[in-house]
Amino acid sequence: MERIGENDVLDARDALGRILAAGLLSTSPKLEAFLRYVVVEELEGRGDGISAYSIAVHALDRPASFDPQSDPVVRVFAGRLRTVLADYYDGPGKADLVRIGIPKGSYRPEFTRQQPSPSAALVEENSAPEAPHSRARRLAVSSFIAVMLIAAGAIAYLLSPLSGERLLSSNGSADTANAEITFPIVEVLPFLGGPDPYMGRLLEGIRQQLVLDLSQFRSVRVRNMLVAEDRSPAIKKSDFRVTGRFMNSGAADVVEIAVLETDGGSILWKEILAVPRNDAEYQELLLTAVRAIAPRVAGISGIVQSDAVMRLERRRTELGNAKTSDYECIVQFYDVVQRYSAEREKRTRQCLAELTTNGSRDSMVWALWALTRYIDWVRHDQGDPLEILSASLIAGLRAVELDPANASAHEYVAMTYAAMGEMDAARESFERALTLNPSKPDFYFHYGTYFIKLGEWERGVELVQQGLALSPAPPGWMYIPVVVDAFRRDDFEESLRLADKIIAMGDDRGYLQALAAAIALNDGRDKTPYIAGFRQAYGEAFEQPLAEMARIFRDEELVLKYQRALASVFAL
């Protein structure tokens, strides 16, 4: 095998034509456009200009604002294209003398000439070609499964500290004396497939991806197996089960995924995923759909958390001031995030402080303490701001040390770095968090505010909206950047509408936004409820909430705009 020379352009164009004529890309126009673009650019002497950005804009119809650092679509399509090319040259292109490849680590194509095989003609003559549609569908499935197998390789590592079993004593028995609430266990059972073996593999790929995504949420423990009813007493029974099955309605292939209570089998949640027949963006669409399930199960407002909050409240009613475990403290924190109140925050802050002071070994406890100290900095809490940020960073780094795969820990470290002005370090930690858990809705909020700090409002708000779309029940605070952006753009009606939504969720922080927008509209509507709510939340002084806004958004002109609006009311 040798690379072709500069005078073999016609052979290279013929190689491209052979691939396109084979029909493997007929159901994937964007993959075809990708291949055409890089080959033509290379053959016409513009290969040096081939990049993730140029491919996205010129072949994949992405906008000029495309950022390859935050959008992996080119890497995804390149991986799929390499799979298609490999299958083509293993099948209908086996006898092709000139081959096209996309080397890993590059998007520039390579053209190589093969030595002809004496039996190549016989192989081609005796091999019946596979139907293009069937072949393309199989390639789509195999491409998805290949990604899933890579993901599955990481599952063993990710699940090792998250087995959900009780610690055994020296004599091998479970410690049943400890009555504290422990992390809930979710079993992801094998999915039921149809008669198509390729669909069976696809279902297993979906299941493995779901296991991987659920494993990133440190509020649950995940089992990648079914535990028998006659299990050892040392193995704790699961709390929830995730099931899946393939169905065909005649018009479409679908996968039904459900979450059930282990005791009683009650269905708590169910979703139907369509399996696209067209491979245009097959893998991307399916991965996005699967990843959206994880936060519905294990996110801040997901099924498991809602159940945990109810169990915790029942326990507090029955046992009074019982000692708070690491897990219960984490549940309390998420409860504050969903249903903020000063009393809930006080109780959560106290348990986090006690657990970290006593040397907790739970990474998530330290991560939430880092976030708590960061919030103190945002609020201009008493004390030296640099000392507060330093305490936040130390706690965050401790969380990373205890569990390097904790996406939340990397996220909160990134936020602290950004507050310190270490923007490169912040971005590196944000990217690490995104790699570890692309399903975490509130991550997109914090990463979005990072870009807003840099003045990139459009990109920042887009990320926040991604988080809102991922979250099954977004808490009020996740809407704040969107509300502020609408106010910034003088869309006061939209700003007020969304601020009313925050207030309706029981979050008093919406009153600042609603009052400012109502004043700016100047349409004679009654502002009394907003003024009363604002005073209840902040008193007569509006300096503190504005100072918090200045720290989060770093836009002096925007803060002055809010200040002028509020001053017009408080001057009356």
Side-chain angles (χ1 to χ4, degrees), residues 446-563:
H446 293 130
Y447 201 15
T449 57
Y450 164 83
F451 283 106
I452 289 172
K453 280 185 173 75
L454 296 176
E456 299 181 35
W457 278 89
E458 184 175 345
R459 185 175 180 186
V461 169
E462 183 180 357
L463 283 166
V464 172
Q465 288 172 334
Q466 285 182 38
L468 290 169
L470 270 176
S471 179
W477 52 266
M478 283 187 70
Y479 287 93
I480 290 176
V482 183
V483 176
V484 172
D485 180 58
F487 187 87
R488 180 185 69 90
R489 294 182 287 101
D490 295 336
D491 188 351
F492 305 123
E493 194 71 54
E494 176 69 1
S495 185
L496 181 58
R497 183 185 72 81
L498 291 172
D500 279 335
K501 194 170 186 176
I502 296 173
I503 294 169
M505 294 176 185
D507 194 326
D508 290 345
R509 286 168 289 193
Y511 283 111
L512 167 66
Q513 308 299 332
L515 179 56
I519 293 169
L521 279 170
N522 195 28
D523 58 359
R525 73 181 67 203
D526 183 15
K527 305 177 185 64
T528 305
Y530 301 132
I531 295 172
F534 182 92
R535 283 180 169 148
Q536 182 176 355
Y538 301 106
E540 293 296 323
F542 53 77
E543 289 83 1
Q544 181 184 346
L546 289 177
E548 292 178 13
M549 183 180 294
R551 287 200 164 181
I552 294 172
F553 298 107
R554 290 189 184 174
D555 189 324
E556 292 182 9
E557 189 171 332
L558 173 66
V559 174
L560 285 172
K561 189 174 180 179
Y562 274 93
Q563 188 173 15

Side-chain angles (χ1 to χ4, degrees), residues 374-438:
Y374 173 85
I375 292 170
D376 290 340
W377 171 81
V378 170
R379 291 175 175 171
H380 284 253
D381 200 32
Q382 292 182 354
D384 184 343
L386 289 179
E387 287 185 6
I388 294 173
L389 286 176
S390 178
S392 175
L393 184 60
I394 290 170
L397 293 175
R398 176 61 174 153
V400 170
E401 179 186 1
L402 288 169
D403 183 0
N406 186 342
S408 295
H410 290 280
E411 176 187 350
Y412 304 148
V413 166
M415 292 160 55
T416 306
Y417 274 136
M420 291 176 163
E422 300 285 344
M423 305 309 280
D424 290 341
R427 183 159 186 165
E428 183 178 338
S429 292
F430 272 127
E431 289 295 327
R432 179 64 177 154
L434 178 62
T435 300
L436 288 168
N437 191 1

Side-chain angles (χ1 to χ4, degrees), residues 227-242:
V227 177
E229 292 298 326
D230 59 349
R231 67 194 183 281
S232 163
I235 301 177
K236 186 176 181 289
K237 186 177 182 180
S238 67
D239 300 280
F240 305 93
R241 285 179 172 170
V242 178

